[in-house]
Amino acid sequence: MERFRCWPVLIMVLVCWPLAAQGFGFQDVIDRAREQAGEPYRAPTPIPSFLQELNHEQYQGIRFKPERTLWHESGSRFQVRLVSPGLYFKHAVKLHQVDAEGVHDVPYDKTDFNYTSEELARRVPADLGYAGFQLTYPLHGENSRDPFLVFAGASYFRAVGKDGHFGLSARGIAVNTGLPSGEQFPSFTEFWLVRPTAKADTMTFYALLDGRALTGAYQFDVRVGDAAIMDVKSRLFLREDIEKLGIAPLTSMFFYGGNTARPVGEWRPRVHDSDGLLMHDGGSGEWLWRPLLNPKNLKIDYFSAEKTGGFGLMQRQTRFDDFQDFAAHYHQRPSAWVAPKGEWGKGRMSLVQLPSSNENNDNIVAFWTPSEPARKGQALAYDYRLKFGDPSISGSQRASAVKTFVGDGNRAGGGNVEGAYRVVVDFAGGPLGDLSGDAPVTSAVTAEGNGEVIEHFVEYLSPVNRWRISILAKPAPERPLALRAFLKNGDEAVSETWSYEIPANNDILGAES
């Protein structure tokens, strides 16, 4: 906001839209959230049941009319399409515009939409309200209107860069995710959209979050190009103790991949929105990569770091051949990266993986949790930069683990050790990209939980310019096999650390163990 310097008064209205409504700003939303935290929680009013019961095809048939887009008449680069409640979006939100003249409600108009049938149109209440909004920007020429950001449903939002397809989601907050007590889903209930100048390349909006356990005030400063970049400010006010508070949560889908068996009847090589969790320890400098799983049972992993340097759910498989799905465009699904601003204090990463029988369920959640207990009456602040784009958005300069394969260690091509696994990891990029095939690259491999590393060695794969670690390892009886591995050139680590766990309950060796 400070980058807008107001010119002489006569042209201030033209230049300083984001500052013109000086009676409203982030502090007003903070005050609202703080006040609301002192009041009993009131759940949002649900929409009529017939709208909640629409199937996917029926809901997708409710189409917003492009000519009703906010700021369409001004030719603004940023324009706002409105989202109808229904199906997953079970309550309306309040929307406001903030401009030079002040704060204005965005009144609901059911004729903003085309409906799948006249009967459905008749039944939609005239005061239903909007479920959220979608931002567009001319990413493919000044006359294009490309959707790149959607806020709708609880505290969920999704974004893409120039050539991406919507995939994983971010959330405002996570509360007790994966706990037996049950997860809470606070919602963004009110938004204030600050109207930008026609040629602005950044847009600001504010959001009020409300839930049984806490309230929150958020400021989002958004810009988009090859990647969508959001600078996020969050202020949280706790109504009650929270056992597990999840900051900057990311939610995705992993059905199966190159490291897992293909379900019976599936012809596609892979089906996932993300294939791994990447973490950066800002204290030690280590980059850690954990490939995702579709476990048979709920699986929760924790990763401690001296200082949180960043984390993200990544989609490293970016070729059409990796998926062979021209309808879903999984190869164009974005990666997402969270980079903390300021000191977040001590904490740990949580990775929650849920079993899923199809690709329609988001079964992966990753977030950061503070070490200090989250107690009733606390006020917390977390600021961060969130990027949606290709896998390079993390900024890592280390070689990446690009492929993971797991098989039986007691068959041809795997080994001759009963009960062992052959694990193969391919690394590429970073310092490895400049090395010749005879460079002295070696592997460092360890097993946890009394697992045994029987052998490991490195090969250079000249056809694809990759370096491969091949590992033969065996778990302790009825225990998972937890492995860590990285590559060295001499004494220098040149790759991120690959971290993987094969659950005890799996089908890799031909039968459940």
Side-chain angles (χ1 to χ4, degrees):
M1 296 286 284
E2 294 179 355
R3 64 187 179 83
F4 290 93
R5 290 186 177 275
C6 294
W7 292 3
V9 174
L10 290 178
I11 60 172
M12 183 169 62
V13 170
L14 295 177
V15 177
C16 297
W17 278 106
L19 292 181
Q22 296 180 10
F24 189 88
F26 187 38
Q27 186 60 48
D28 295 280
V29 187
I30 294 173
D31 293 342
R32 286 276 299 275
R34 182 186 291 109
E35 179 182 357
Q36 202 159 300
E39 301 171 355
Y41 171 63
R42 293 187 294 273
T45 302
I47 60 176
S49 58
F50 77 88
L51 286 170
Q52 298 186 43
E53 294 165 1
L54 295 175
N55 62 37
H56 182 76
E57 183 178 358
Q58 290 170 327
Y59 178 74
Q60 290 299 315
I62 302 175
R63 302 280 185 173
F64 182 73
K65 298 175 181 177
E67 65 272 18
R68 301 293 184 91
T69 301
L70 293 183
W71 311 330
H72 176 75
E73 77 290 344
S74 70
S76 173
R77 288 181 175 177
F78 289 100
Q79 296 185 14
V80 184
R81 298 176 182 176
L82 303 169
V83 176
S84 174
L87 191 57
Y88 309 117
F89 310 137
K90 300 185 183 300
H91 66 82
V93 301
K94 295 179 181 179
L95 294 176
H96 313 277
Q97 295 187 68
V98 181
D99 60 24
E101 298 177 356
V103 179
H104 316 276
D105 294 342
V106 178
Y108 174 71
D109 187 342
K110 63 185 288 184
T111 66
D112 285 342
F113 302 92
N114 291 313
Y115 296 89
T116 50
S117 69
E118 291 184 4
E119 179 184 0
L120 177 60
R122 284 196 300 269
R123 296 180 69 186
V124 172
D127 60 350
L128 178 64
Y130 300 109
F133 62 92
Q134 180 184 80
L135 293 185
T136 69
Y137 192 84
L139 292 171
H140 296 90
E142 285 298 321
N143 294 323
S144 68
R145 294 290 176 263
D146 302 300
F148 76 92
L149 177 65
V150 181
F151 273 73
S155 68
Y156 287 88
F157 57 97
R158 298 188 296 163
V160 292
K162 182 178 180 180
D163 295 317
H165 279 249
F166 286 111
L168 83 168
S169 301
R171 281 194 268 169
I173 203 73
V175 177
N176 295 340
T177 304
L179 296 185
S181 59
E183 183 172 4
Q184 297 180 29
F185 292 91
S187 295
F188 288 128
T189 58
E190 199 164 357
F191 294 92
W192 293 263
L193 310 174
V194 181
R195 183 167 182 164
T197 59
K199 299 300 181 182
D201 58 7
T202 301
M203 179 180 163
T204 296
F205 55 93
Y206 311 109
L208 179 68
L209 180 115
D210 194 18
R212 193 179 77 202
L214 80 174
T215 65
Y218 289 73
Q219 177 175 318
F220 299 91
D221 298 301
V222 181
R223 64 184 186 275
V224 64
D226 291 337
I229 301 174
M230 309 176 70
D231 289 313
V232 183
K233 295 179 180 178
S234 67
R235 304 293 181 265
L236 306 173
F237 302 93
L238 275 60
R239 280 192 171 107
E240 58 184 45
D241 294 350
I242 297 176
E243 186 175 351
K244 184 191 287 186
L245 181 65
I247 305 301
L250 302 172
T251 300
S252 193
M253 180 275 293
F254 182 89
F255 185 28
Y256 62 94
N259 58 313
T260 68
R262 185 184 302 179
V264 175
E266 279 288 353
W267 59 271
R268 297 167 294 178
R270 296 174 176 83
V271 174
H272 51 72
D273 284 339
S274 306
D275 58 357
L277 171 65
L278 180 65
M279 296 159 281
H280 182 217
D281 186 329
S284 68
E286 181 182 48
W287 290 82
L288 186 72
W289 172 250
R290 170 57 68 94
L292 299 179
L293 294 170
N294 181 357
K296 291 189 174 184
N297 305 104
L298 170 67
K299 188 176 190 311
I300 304 178
D301 294 302
Y302 301 100
F303 306 89
S304 297
E306 295 179 23
K307 176 183 177 182
T308 306
F311 64 90
L313 289 175
M314 317 301 284
Q315 182 76 318
R316 285 186 169 172
Q317 311 307 316
T318 58
R319 299 181 308 121
F320 173 74
D321 285 350
D322 293 327
F323 300 93
Q324 294 290 341
D325 193 329
F326 194 63
H329 291 271
Y330 286 119
H331 61 293
Q332 292 179 294
R333 302 295 174 103
S335 298
W337 182 254
V338 175
K341 293 186 175 182
E343 291 293 333
W344 278 16
K346 294 182 178 180
R348 61 182 181 175
M349 282 299 305
S350 295
L351 175 62
V352 180
Q353 300 179 97
L354 297 144
S356 179
S357 60
N358 58 61
E359 64 199 273
N360 300 319
N361 300 318
D362 283 344
N363 62 326
I364 305 295
V365 189
F367 50 85
W368 183 84
T369 298
S371 295
E372 293 295 323
R375 300 301 189 196
K376 177 180 178 179
Q378 280 186 314
L380 305 172
Y382 296 98
D383 297 344
Y384 52 96
R385 173 165 288 180
L386 174 59
K387 296 181 180 180
F388 292 83
D390 67 39
S392 68
I393 58 175
S394 70
S396 171
Q397 302 300 309
R398 297 289 181 91
S400 299
V402 294
K403 302 280 186 181
T404 298
F405 306 99
V406 182
D408 193 339
N410 187 29
R411 64 172 60 194
N416 58 0
V417 179
E418 185 177 355
Y421 297 89
R422 175 63 64 181
V423 184
V424 174
V425 189
D426 288 357
F427 291 84
L432 293 178
D434 298 326
L435 296 180
S436 63
D438 58 358
V441 176
T442 58
S443 54
V445 181
T446 56
E448 301 174 1
N450 294 321
E452 178 187 2
V453 177
I454 300 167
E455 69 173 20
H456 62 95
F457 57 88
V458 176
E459 296 176 286
Y460 174 64
L461 308 180
S462 57
V464 288
N465 193 25
R466 293 178 186 158
W467 293 79
R468 170 171 290 180
I469 303 179
S470 185
I471 305 166
L472 184 64
K474 187 175 182 178
E478 299 183 0
R479 294 288 303 275
L481 176 62
L483 297 169
R484 289 169 60 95
F486 63 92
L487 289 175
K488 300 186 296 181
N489 181 19
D491 293 329
E492 180 185 1
V494 292
S495 77
E496 64 194 14
T497 300
W498 168 90
S499 170
Y500 198 68
E501 184 174 288
I502 302 173
N505 182 18
N506 68 74
D507 298 322
I508 298 170
L509 303 185
E512 292 189 5
S513 54

